[in-house]
Amino acid sequence: MTLKYAGLKPMIDQHGVHFKDGKDDKFSYLIYAIDILKAIDHPYQKKMKYSHNIINDNYKPQEIINILLSYHPNLEKTMNQEIVSYKTHLDSEEEHVNNLVNLTDIEKKTFINNLKIMRNYKIQRAKNKIFYFHCIETIVEIILSNKIKEIDTPFNERFWHILQTIQGVLSKHRISSDLKIDNKDEIKAMLFINIY
């Protein structure tokens, strides 16, 4: 399993490849997600508040992998199955282009070649995204098992995005949460979890 930055989301057609602003690779969020995971995974005492302000941005990709593998030893096997599914999806994209009636044969060939050129790029982005969501699911598992009611992080775009993603996964467990900004002393993002 290899994690590395791939880049922005590619928009591919018969005219070429363009990249969508604002659709960054999930690899950019992994260090922050792992930081939250490490910060909340410890023994808890009742009626104590835990806050984490320092990000450890020294994690190397292999260290990030090893941290998550320590929680889910079979993760690599699971991810490989998910990537096989994704590759099948990429194959069906090519087949779909082949069946488009509004494109000439040359346009179809160009479109398919553009898809082939970007295939490894898209696979790496998918690996990063799959790994990111497994990391978020692990964070939610810890929130649920430890009945964590609040997570505070520094306020920035990366942490905010991760807290929103955690919120979405919590809602799948039928647990509501509120995401707020506090700027009393220093600006921070706060996720309040309505658990038990």
Side-chain angles (χ1 to χ4, degrees):
M1 177 173 13
T2 305
L3 294 177
K4 61 182 180 182
Y5 182 76
L8 296 173
K9 182 177 182 177
M11 306 302 287
I12 305 166
D13 60 21
Q14 68 274 21
H15 303 294
V17 178
H18 313 280
F19 297 93
K20 189 170 183 177
D21 264 346
K23 286 291 189 176
D24 204 1
D25 187 352
K26 293 298 185 207
F27 181 84
S28 300
Y29 300 94
L30 280 174
I31 289 173
Y32 298 85
I34 286 292
D35 197 47
I36 291 172
L37 176 62
K38 295 297 286 179
I40 67 171
D41 187 24
H42 56 80
Y44 283 86
Q45 296 176 12
K46 289 185 178 180
K47 297 188 180 182
M48 289 191 73
K49 180 179 176 181
Y50 294 90
S51 185
H52 183 68
N53 290 320
I54 299 168
I55 179 164
N56 181 352
D57 59 0
N58 296 323
Y59 292 125
K60 304 286 183 257
Q62 191 57 51
E63 290 174 302
I64 292 171
I65 291 169
N66 292 341
I67 289 168
L68 205 53
L69 283 174
S70 71
Y71 291 90
H72 304 286
N74 294 326
L75 180 61
E76 191 161 2
K77 182 180 176 186
T78 303
M79 282 191 61
N80 286 338
Q81 291 168 344
E82 291 174 88
I83 292 300
V84 166
S85 260
Y86 183 71
K87 287 178 180 177
T88 302
H89 163 73
L90 294 178
D91 293 340
S92 68
E93 271 187 340
E94 291 179 22
E95 187 59 36
H96 171 73
V97 171
N98 245 344
N99 294 325
L100 292 174
V101 292
N102 60 330
L103 297 180
T104 66
D105 287 344
I106 291 175
E107 287 173 322
K108 287 179 189 178
K109 185 176 179 181
T110 303
F111 197 152
I112 291 169
N113 283 339
N114 289 340
L115 288 171
K116 288 181 188 294
I117 289 167
M118 295 304 293
R119 186 177 179 95
N120 287 337
Y121 180 97
K122 289 176 75 174
I123 290 169
Q124 186 60 55
R125 273 185 56 91
K127 284 180 186 176
N128 295 343
K129 185 174 183 177
I130 291 166
F131 192 89
Y132 170 77
F133 279 106
H134 281 291
C135 188
I136 295 298
E137 288 166 3
T138 304
I139 290 169
V140 169
E141 288 169 15
I142 291 170
I143 289 170
L144 297 175
S145 67
N146 291 314
K147 299 178 182 172
I148 296 171
K149 294 188 176 195
E150 181 179 337
I151 297 176
D152 299 350
T153 68
F155 179 77
N156 66 37
E157 182 266 333
R158 303 274 190 230
F159 277 123
W160 187 261
H161 176 86
I162 291 164
L163 292 176
Q164 285 180 317
T165 308
I166 292 169
Q167 215 177 6
V169 174
L170 284 168
S171 72
K172 290 178 183 174
H173 290 272
R174 299 188 186 280
I175 294 173
S176 64
S177 58
D178 299 306
L179 188 53
K180 297 181 179 178
I181 298 171
D182 178 28
N183 58 2
K184 289 177 189 162
D185 299 322
E186 58 185 277
I187 190 163
K188 62 183 176 179
M190 301 166 65
L191 180 63
F192 297 98
I193 302 143
N194 304 316
I195 191 167
Y196 312 110

